[in-house]
């Protein structure tokens, strides 16, 4: 449908007119003319078929062409809605407000529409030439587009042919790539086969004409792989021989004799080389580790070649090495041990017991006991320093001989263990690196997976037996219990070192050493225990108030046993030992036995000291003797930092003897009657209290007066006498001052209790002698003169 401009629209210029095809329908249109914009709102009904505008008057019953049936079919509700909508239009409202006649206005609008329609027709007629030209251009464009379509269809057909050619080329390229890859795979497999089969000329000349060197080792490794390859009875796993065994191929049959000749030549040269290097180990001044590292281990692949190519030759080489190296190590340790034996000093003999008769310890030209031998075999002294030198270098014999040095046996044993540990470590690592360098043989053939350990055991078998034999010979005449305990500790330390290095080959050796040391220690300990248990107090030398040598020996021996006992160190180590060698608490089988024996020895020494105390003249001297001996034992325990049951038992025994001495000293120092009066009076008071009797305490007034006057006259002299006795009895000043303090305190307590008894006997009227009672402050002032810490 064509669109026409409205009456209010300006006429379009020819340049802006939309070209339309020249057609009769452009002029004769069936569309009704559009009303002008100003009159658009005045339409009140739908357009008729003739193109007119319906008005309200057009619906009159007298309107021609309408019948009552048409009126009945007409939608008056729609008309009412249109009327309501038009009434809201501003133009309609203005027209109605001015009183415009609608019928005349409608006719005017229709006339204007006709005029606009005619003008539009004229304009289209004027532009008919342009429309015709446009139509011609459109037809020309259609022809051009048709030719372009034919050309593109041709291009499409050509491209289809080119695509087929490209697909064909791609298929050919893919096929050629597969062929190339197959040829490369074949070339790689063939190259592997040739590399493992062919013998290069320089390889043959090197293996047959030159000495063993680094280049020789490279060709030996290559030859070993070629022999292993050609000896396969099945197709090679890497597919280099395809589906045939390498030795069944034409190349394999041709190369097998040549490889065999080369194998025999290389085996002979390798055997000669190793036997020459092993022979160097027999020379006394040969550096064994240098020969092992640079002459043997450097060429371990040559030995691997011998194992694979000639197992009997490899076994011959191993056997020769075991014999040669075993003799070398045995000779070195035998000579070293013999030289160390000359440096050993004897610390104890069979007479060095805790309780030994006086004749055994008396000097050669004197009837007195040799005080110099009292603690040498029982005191630890500085001998435990050997535990802190575990990682130190061993003793150099020639230097020690030049310095005329002498050592206890445990120091020499530490040096032997140090040498043994280092030699075992080096030899064990060498044997595993050299003799286990090759892969284990298949099942059913020679199993060499543990060949290194077997070789090591064979090399060191005689040497370890020598060390055990030397130790056993020493233990036959050993009476040094301290040395045995130190050697047990050293055994634990060196076992820990080997475990830290992950070389457990000496565990059985250290077990044997421990089984030798503990029984001998038990025998020596039992001998000391027996000497204490069966000792005759009259044959143990003179007994005075000073500590007996038996208590000193016991204290030193017990402190040493507990200090070296493994359970004495919860952290597992020994103070003074380097942190790297501190062992854990390693039970060696004798720890519980040792603690039990020490407890038994403590019980027996207490009994022996009681027997020795009975040789004193008086009861007070017995107390003094026991106190001095107990104090000496506790001082040694304190110096050695010994804690536990033994120390507690002696502390209790010392406290009990001090109490007995205090009572006895007060009795013999002119205070005995006063103490007896106090005890009797307190007993009487307790009896009266239990019977319910009341009143003043009944005491002998004359006796009380006599005691008051005696105490007032002699108390200062009594305290001075106590001070002199204590200083004379007890050599240990600290112990003497403690006992003096305890005696004077007890005296003050007795006198205070005596004053309380007097107050209870005369609660209201003090007796006449009360003025002679010495005041407590006076006694305290006097006591401070003798004891500054009181």
């Amino acid at each position: 449908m064509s669109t026409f401009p409205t009456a209010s629209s300006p006429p379009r210029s020819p340049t802006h007119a939309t070209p339309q095809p020249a057609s009769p329908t452009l002029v004769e249109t069936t569309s009704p003319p559009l009303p002008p914009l100003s009159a658009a709102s005045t339409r009140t009904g739908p357009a008729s078929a003739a193109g007119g505008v319906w008005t309200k008057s057009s619906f009159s019953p007298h309107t021609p062409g309408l019948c009552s049936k048409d009126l009945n079919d007409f939608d008056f509700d729609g008309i009412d809605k249109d009327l309501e909508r038009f009434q809201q239009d501003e133009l309609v409202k203005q027209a109605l407000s001015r009183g415009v006649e609608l019928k005349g206005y409608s006719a005017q609008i229709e006339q204007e529409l006709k005029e606009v329609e005619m003008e539009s027709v004229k304009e289209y007629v004027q532009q008919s030439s342009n429309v015709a030209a446009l139509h011609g251009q459109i037809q020309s464009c259609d022809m051009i587009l048709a030719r372009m379509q034919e050309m593109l269809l041709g291009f499409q057909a050509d491209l289809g042919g080119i695509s087929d050619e490209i697909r064909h080329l791609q298929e050919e390229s893919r096929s050629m790539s597969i062929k190339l890859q197959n040829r490369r795979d074949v070339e790689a497999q063939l190259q592997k086969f040739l590399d493992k089969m062919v013998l290069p000329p320089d390889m043959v000349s090197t293996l047959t004409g030159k000495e063993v060197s680094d280049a020789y080792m490279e060709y030996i490794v290559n030859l070993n792989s070629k022999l292993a390859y050609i000896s396969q009875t099945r197709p090679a796993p890497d597919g280099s021989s395809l589906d045939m065994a390498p030795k069944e191929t034409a190349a394999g049959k041709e190369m097998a004799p040549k490889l065999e000749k080369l194998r025999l030549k290389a085996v002979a040269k390798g055997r000669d080389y190793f036997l020459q290097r092993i022979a160097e180990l027999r020379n006394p001044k040969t550096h064994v580790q240098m020969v092992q590292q640079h002459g043997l281990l450097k060429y371990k692949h040559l030995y691997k070649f011998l194992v694979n190519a000639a197992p009997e030759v490899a076994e011959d080489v191993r056997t020769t090495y075991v014999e040669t190296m075993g003799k070398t190590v045995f000779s070195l340790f035998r000579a070293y041990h013999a030289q160390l034996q000359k440096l050993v000093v004897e610390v104890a003999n069979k007479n060095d017991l805790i309780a030994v008769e006086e004749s055994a310890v008396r000097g050669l030209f004197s009837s007195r006991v040799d005080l110099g031998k009292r603690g040498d075999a029982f005191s630890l002294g500085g001998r435990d320093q050997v535990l802190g030198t575990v990682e130190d270098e061993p003793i150099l014999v020639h230097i020690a001989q030049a310095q005329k040095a002498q050592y206890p046996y445990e120091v020499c044993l530490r040096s032997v263990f140090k040498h043994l540990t280092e030699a075992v470590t080096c030899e064990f690592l060498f044997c595993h690196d050299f003799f286990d360098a090759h892969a284990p043989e298949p099942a059913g053939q020679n199993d060499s997976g543990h060949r290194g350990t077997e070789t090591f055991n064979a090399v060191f078998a005689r040497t370890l037996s020598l060390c055990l034999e030397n130790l056993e010979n020493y233990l036959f005449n050993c009476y040094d219990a301290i040395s045995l305990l130190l050697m047990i500790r050293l055994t634990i330390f060196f076992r820990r070192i080997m475990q830290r290095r992950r070389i457990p080959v000496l565990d059985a050796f250290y077990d044997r050493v421990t089984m030798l040391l503990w029984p001998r220690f038990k025998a020596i300990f039992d001998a000391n225990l027996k000497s204490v248990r069966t000792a005759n107090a009259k044959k143990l030398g003179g007994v005075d108030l000073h500590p007996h040598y038996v208590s000193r020996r016991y204290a030193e021996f017990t402190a040493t046993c507990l200090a070296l006992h493994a359970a004495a160190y919860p952290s597992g180590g020994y103070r003074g030992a380097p942190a790297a060698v501190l062992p854990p608490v390693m039970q060696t089988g004798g720890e519980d036995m040792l603690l039990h024996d020490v407890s038994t020895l403590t019980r027996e020494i207490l009994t022996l000291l009681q027997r020795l105390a009975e040789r004193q003249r008086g009861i007070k001297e017995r107390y003094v003797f026991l106190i001095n001996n107990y104090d000496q034992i506790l001082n040694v325990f304190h110096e050695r930092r010994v804690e536990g049951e033994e120390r507690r038992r002696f502390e209790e025994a010392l406290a009990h003897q001090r109490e007995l001495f205090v009572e006895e000293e007060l009795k013999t120092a002119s205070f005995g009657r006063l103490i007896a009066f106090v005890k009797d009076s307190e007993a009487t008071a307790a009896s009266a209290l239990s019977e319910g009797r009341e009143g003043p305490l009944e005491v002998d007034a004359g006796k009380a007066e006599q005691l008051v006057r005696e105490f007032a006259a002699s108390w200062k002299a009594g305290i001075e006498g106590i001070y002199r006795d204590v200083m004379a009895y007890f050599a240990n000043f600290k112990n003497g001052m403690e006992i003096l303090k305890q005696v004077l305190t007890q005296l003050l307590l007795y006198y205070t209790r005596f004053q309380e008894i007097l107050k209870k006997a005369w609660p209201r009227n003090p007796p006449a002698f009360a003025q002679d009672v010495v005041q407590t402050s006076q006694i305290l002032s006097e006591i401070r003169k003798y004891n500054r810490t009181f």
Side-chain angles (χ1 to χ4, degrees):
M1 178 182 292
S2 301
T3 304
F4 297 91
T6 59
S8 61
S9 300
R12 295 182 181 180
S13 63
T15 59
H16 292 84
T18 303
Q20 298 290 336
S23 175
T25 58
L26 295 174
V27 178
E28 296 179 1
T29 178
T30 58
S31 298
L34 296 176
L37 182 62
S38 59
S41 60
T42 59
R43 286 196 320 163
T44 59
S48 64
V53 179
W54 292 97
T55 63
K56 191 174 182 180
S57 60
S58 300
F59 294 103
S60 174
H62 301 287
T63 303
L66 291 176
C67 61
S68 61
K69 184 178 179 180
D70 295 332
L71 294 176
N72 292 332
D73 295 336
F74 205 83
D75 187 6
F76 289 99
D77 294 335
I79 295 174
D80 292 337
K81 293 179 180 179
D82 290 340
L83 291 175
E84 292 178 359
R85 181 169 56 83
F86 290 154
Q87 288 178 359
Q88 296 177 359
D89 189 87
E90 294 296 332
L91 295 176
V92 175
K93 288 182 180 181
Q94 292 178 5
L96 293 176
S97 63
R98 292 196 303 268
V100 177
E101 183 181 0
L102 295 178
K103 184 176 181 180
Y105 185 70
S106 176
Q108 182 182 352
I109 294 300
E110 290 180 357
Q111 184 61 33
E112 291 178 357
L113 289 174
K114 289 181 180 181
E115 292 176 357
V116 171
E117 182 179 0
M118 292 304 297
E119 290 178 358
S120 297
V121 171
K122 290 179 181 180
E123 185 176 355
Y124 279 112
V125 171
Q126 292 176 358
Q127 298 293 334
S128 59
S129 60
N130 294 333
V131 172
L134 180 60
H135 179 68
Q137 293 177 0
I138 291 174
Q139 289 180 346
S140 176
C141 288
D142 288 340
M143 294 174 64
I144 294 173
L145 291 176
R147 288 195 300 271
M148 292 182 64
Q149 184 177 6
E150 293 177 358
M151 186 183 299
L152 292 176
L153 290 175
F155 289 161
Q156 184 177 3
D158 295 339
L159 291 176
I162 294 174
S163 177
D164 293 338
E165 292 180 2
I166 291 175
R167 282 195 295 270
H168 177 68
L169 292 175
Q170 288 178 344
E171 292 177 358
E172 289 185 354
S173 175
R174 190 179 300 108
S175 176
M176 294 177 65
S177 297
I178 294 174
K179 293 178 181 180
L180 178 61
Q181 184 63 37
N182 292 337
R183 291 179 180 179
R184 288 179 176 176
D185 292 341
V186 172
E187 180 184 2
Q189 296 295 335
L190 183 59
Q191 185 65 36
K192 289 182 182 179
F193 180 77
L194 293 177
D195 291 341
K196 296 180 179 180
M197 191 68 67
V198 176
L199 292 174
D202 54 346
M203 175 180 175
V204 176
S205 61
T206 301
L207 293 178
T208 57
K210 293 185 178 181
E211 297 295 331
V212 176
S213 60
D214 293 341
Y216 185 88
M217 291 305 303
E218 294 179 3
Y219 288 122
I220 279 292
V221 174
N222 195 358
L223 177 61
N224 196 20
S225 64
K226 292 180 184 295
L227 290 173
Y229 180 77
I230 201 172
S231 64
Q232 298 182 48
T233 58
R234 293 184 179 183
D238 58 357
S240 58
S241 62
L242 301 181
D243 57 348
M244 299 176 62
K247 67 178 183 179
E248 295 177 357
T249 61
K253 294 177 181 179
E254 180 182 356
M255 296 300 300
K258 299 180 180 179
L259 287 172
E260 179 64 18
K261 292 180 181 179
L262 195 59
R263 181 188 72 83
L264 295 176
K265 184 68 176 177
V267 167
K269 182 175 290 188
R271 179 180 180 278
D272 294 340
Y273 172 79
F274 283 125
L275 293 181
Q276 291 175 4
R277 299 288 82 77
I278 293 173
E280 295 178 0
L281 297 175
R282 299 190 182 99
N283 298 329
K285 296 183 179 180
T286 300
H287 196 296
V288 176
Q289 293 185 9
M290 292 292 292
V291 175
Q292 289 178 338
Q293 295 296 325
H294 300 284
L296 297 177
L297 192 59
K298 184 179 180 181
Y299 302 102
K300 64 181 180 180
H301 293 291
L302 179 57
Y303 181 77
K304 175 182 178 181
F305 167 76
L306 294 179
V307 171
N308 296 328
E312 66 283 354
V313 176
E315 182 62 20
D316 183 30
V317 171
R318 192 186 76 88
T319 303
T320 304
Y321 175 81
V322 168
E323 294 177 357
T324 302
M325 193 63 188
K327 292 180 181 179
T328 301
V329 175
F330 178 80
S331 300
L332 290 175
F333 274 89
R334 182 176 59 183
Y336 186 68
H337 189 273
Q339 293 172 344
L340 285 180
Q341 283 295 107
K342 300 177 182 179
L343 304 178
V344 176
V345 60
E346 185 183 72
V347 179
N349 55 42
K350 63 180 181 180
N351 294 322
D352 286 316
L353 301 173
I354 294 178
V356 64
E357 293 184 2
E358 183 181 4
S359 60
V361 296
R362 183 180 294 132
L364 183 61
F365 302 103
S366 175
S367 60
R368 300 184 61 187
V369 174
D370 187 0
L371 300 178
K373 293 183 60 63
R374 287 192 174 183
D376 294 345
F378 305 94
S379 175
L380 184 61
R383 297 174 67 180
D384 57 341
Q385 294 179 0
V386 68
L387 300 178
T389 61
V390 174
E391 293 285 12
D392 291 354
E393 294 299 322
I395 297 174
L396 299 179
V397 178
H398 63 283
I399 297 179
Q401 291 177 345
Q403 297 175 351
K404 296 181 179 181
Q406 287 186 320
Y407 307 98
Y409 188 81
E410 66 271 10
V411 177
C412 296
L413 184 69
R414 182 210 72 85
S415 186
V416 173
F417 279 0
K418 177 63 176 178
H419 260 309
L420 183 64
T421 300
E422 298 303 325
V424 166
T425 300
C426 295
E427 187 64 24
F428 180 82
L429 295 177
F430 168 77
C431 289
H432 272 267
D433 289 343
F434 187 75
F435 293 103
D436 283 346
H438 56 282
E441 297 293 338
Q445 299 186 17
N446 184 24
D447 182 15
S448 56
H450 301 284
R451 186 66 68 186
T453 303
E454 294 176 1
T455 304
F456 167 80
N457 292 333
V459 169
F460 267 86
R462 293 183 61 195
T463 302
L464 296 180
S465 298
L466 173 67
C467 294
L468 292 173
E469 182 181 355
N470 292 332
L471 177 61
E472 192 170 3
N473 292 334
Y474 167 76
L475 294 180
F476 283 147
N477 298 314
C478 176
Y479 299 93
D480 189 356
I482 307 304
S483 177
L484 293 174
L485 285 176
L486 289 171
M487 287 189 285
I488 292 173
R489 294 292 95 199
L490 287 173
T491 303
I492 295 176
F493 287 157
F494 280 104
R495 180 197 292 266
R496 181 60 177 172
I497 291 174
M498 297 303 290
Q499 290 179 352
R500 189 175 69 248
R501 295 178 181 179
R502 300 181 181 275
I503 303 178
V505 292
L506 289 182
D507 286 349
F509 170 77
Y510 288 131
D511 288 339
R512 291 286 306 278
V513 171
T514 303
M515 294 303 296
L516 291 175
L517 295 175
W518 273 119
R520 186 58 187 172
F521 174 80
K522 174 64 174 174
I524 297 175
F525 195 99
D526 289 344
N528 282 276
L529 181 60
K530 182 179 179 180
S531 69
V532 174
R533 182 178 294 164
T534 62
N536 187 347
K538 297 179 180 180
K539 296 182 179 181
L540 296 180
V543 177
D544 52 16
L545 298 179
H546 294 88
H548 199 272
Y549 73 90
V550 170
S551 62
R552 180 73 184 184
R553 289 188 174 189
Y554 160 79
E556 293 286 357
F557 184 67
T558 302
T560 300
C561 291
L562 295 177
L564 297 179
H565 181 253
Y569 304 99
S571 61
Y574 183 83
R575 57 180 181 275
V581 298
L582 292 181
V585 179
M586 301 177 65
Q587 299 296 325
T588 58
E591 285 77 8
D592 295 337
M593 174 202 68
L594 177 60
L595 292 179
H596 178 267
D597 290 346
V598 168
S599 179
T600 303
L601 180 61
T602 301
R603 184 170 60 253
E604 294 296 335
I605 202 68
L606 287 171
T607 303
L608 177 60
L609 291 177
Q610 290 288 345
R611 296 202 303 269
L612 290 172
E614 292 176 358
R615 297 182 58 187
Q616 298 293 335
R617 297 186 302 273
I619 187 171
K620 185 166 69 172
E621 285 73 13
R622 296 177 186 177
Y623 297 152
V624 172
F625 174 79
L626 292 176
I627 289 174
N628 284 330
N629 282 273
Y630 293 162
D631 179 66
Q632 177 179 250
I633 292 173
L634 289 173
N635 285 334
V636 174
F637 284 175
H638 179 72
E639 292 174 1
R640 302 291 186 268
R641 300 180 182 179
V642 174
E643 302 290 343
E645 181 65 19
E646 285 68 25
R647 181 168 180 172
R648 183 189 62 80
R649 292 171 68 174
F650 280 99
E651 287 176 347
E652 292 177 355
L654 177 62
H656 178 65
Q657 294 299 324
R658 281 179 174 177
E659 293 176 358
L660 296 177
F661 173 79
V662 167
E663 296 293 334
E664 189 65 23
E665 179 65 22
L666 292 176
K667 289 179 182 179
T668 59
S670 69
F671 300 112
R673 295 181 62 217
L674 180 113
I675 295 174
F677 178 81
V678 170
K679 291 182 178 179
D680 293 341
S681 299
E682 288 179 347
T684 303
S687 176
L689 181 62
S690 62
E691 295 175 0
R693 290 179 295 170
E694 298 181 356
L697 180 63
E698 297 179 359
V699 296
D700 187 348
K703 189 175 182 179
E705 181 180 1
Q706 183 180 1
L707 291 174
V708 169
R709 299 189 186 280
E710 287 180 358
F711 185 84
S714 63
W715 69 275
K716 289 186 179 182
I719 291 178
E720 185 178 357
I722 291 174
Y723 176 77
R724 288 195 303 269
D725 289 345
V726 170
M727 291 297 102
Y729 288 151
F730 305 106
N732 186 350
F733 179 77
K734 182 179 180 181
N735 180 47
M737 294 307 295
E738 288 291 332
I739 294 176
L740 177 62
K741 177 181 177 182
Q742 191 171 348
V743 173
L744 297 180
T745 301
Q746 189 66 22
L747 172 62
L748 185 61
L749 290 176
Y750 274 126
Y751 191 70
T752 303
R753 289 157 61 184
F754 177 70
Q755 290 178 336
E756 293 294 329
I757 291 172
L758 295 180
K759 292 180 180 179
K760 291 180 180 179
W762 291 277
R764 296 182 180 178
N765 299 318
F769 60 83
Q771 60 184 356
D772 296 329
V773 174
V774 180
Q775 299 298 321
T776 305
S777 59
Q778 294 178 354
I779 300 176
L780 284 175
S781 177
E782 187 67 19
I783 288 176
R784 289 192 181 96
K785 296 179 181 179
Y786 300 97
N787 190 354
R788 298 299 179 184
T789 60
F790 191 79

